[in-house]
Amino acid sequence: MIVLAAVLALLVLLALIPIRVIAEYRSEFSLRLKVLFVVIRLLPRKAKPKKGQRQEEDTKKKSEKEPKKDPEKEPENKTEKPETRAVSATERLSGYLNLAVEFLGPLRKAVRRLVKAESLSARVSFGTGDAAQTAILVGLLWGAGYNLISLVDLIVKVEGQELSITPDYSGPTFEAEAACILRTNIANIICAAAILGIAYIRYILKTKLRRNKNE
């Protein structure tokens, strides 16, 4: 019993480990995943080393060993009529749209409950060279920035926010920096996957019922 309790406690602790996704824009976009003290860089990816001459030689040898295909022996591809293609395309499109609609509600609720925006910040320095235009556009940018934050808050709960838009009257300039830290844990990811799985099962059952009624 003590061993079982220790294993369960360890699993609970592992499930509650915080996972952070850090997205930043400073001259280029970067994306990192942080689990406790381990940081994994997702973007930008490191440049792959160039292939050496040995790899090129290997590919040449493989291409020489591969048997050449005889065009006379190849079976002719059966071309579908344009009418059947249009019908199948419309059916697929309607299916994808129904699936998206079915998933949007549960996905938004799951993300809203289980993912938090630990911090959301943006700093913009803007100038057009004309003082009046700069002042008007800076005011519009302030309104657009707060509207964007409220839109993000509808999807995930924003715990901390910082918005700074400064006018630059020296000349035409535009500099922008943005950062966002999303926080969740393994237990929340499992819950979100379960919610989406239930929604997918409901969608399959609904489609089967509709097909049975049509038949």
Side-chain angles (χ1 to χ4, degrees):
M1 291 295 293
I2 297 173
V3 175
L4 181 61
V7 171
L8 290 174
L10 181 62
L11 291 175
V12 170
L13 289 174
L14 290 174
L16 295 177
I17 290 174
I19 299 172
R20 290 177 173 85
V21 178
I22 305 168
E24 292 180 339
Y25 177 78
R26 290 185 177 88
S27 71
E28 65 175 359
F29 181 74
S30 65
L31 187 66
R32 291 173 293 166
L33 181 68
K34 186 177 181 181
V35 182
L36 288 179
F37 303 106
V38 180
V39 179
I40 303 169
R41 189 176 71 173
L42 303 176
L43 291 174
R45 294 181 180 178
K46 293 181 179 179
K48 294 181 180 180
K50 294 182 179 180
K51 295 181 180 179
Q53 293 180 355
R54 292 182 181 178
Q55 292 181 353
E56 292 179 358
E57 291 176 357
D58 292 337
T59 53
K60 287 180 181 179
K61 288 179 182 178
K62 287 181 181 179
S63 61
E64 290 175 357
K65 288 180 181 179
E66 288 179 355
K68 295 181 180 180
K69 294 181 180 179
D70 191 358
E72 295 180 356
K73 294 181 180 180
E74 289 182 356
E76 295 181 357
N77 294 326
K78 295 181 179 179
T79 57
E80 295 181 355
K81 294 181 179 179
E83 295 177 357
T84 56
R85 286 182 181 177
V87 171
S88 62
T90 52
E91 287 179 354
R92 288 177 184 175
L93 182 61
S94 63
Y96 290 148
L97 289 174
N98 291 329
L99 184 62
V101 170
E102 195 74 22
F103 269 80
L104 280 176
L107 181 63
R108 187 180 66 83
K109 290 178 182 178
V111 172
R112 174 75 179 171
R113 290 178 185 174
L114 306 175
V115 181
K116 309 295 180 187
E118 196 172 272
S119 69
L120 182 64
S121 62
R123 297 179 183 87
V124 178
S125 177
F126 179 76
T128 61
D130 184 82
Q133 289 181 358
T134 300
I136 293 169
L137 292 173
V138 165
L140 293 174
L141 285 174
W142 274 104
Y146 279 114
N147 287 330
L148 184 61
I149 290 172
S150 62
L151 182 63
V152 173
D153 191 60
L154 292 174
I155 303 170
V156 295
K157 187 176 181 181
V158 179
E159 295 180 345
Q161 61 184 24
E162 182 184 354
L163 182 63
S164 174
I165 301 173
T166 57
D168 189 354
Y169 299 109
S170 62
T173 57
F174 182 79
E175 295 178 358
E177 293 182 357
C180 179
I181 301 175
L182 300 176
R183 187 186 74 248
T184 186
N185 53 44
I186 297 172
N188 290 340
I189 293 171
I190 294 170
C191 290
I195 292 168
L196 294 177
I198 292 167
Y200 184 68
I201 292 168
R202 287 179 180 175
Y203 171 75
I204 292 172
L205 293 174
K206 285 181 181 179
T207 51
K208 285 183 178 180
L209 290 173
R210 288 173 184 172
R211 288 177 182 174
N212 293 330
K213 286 180 180 179
N214 294 329
E215 290 176 356

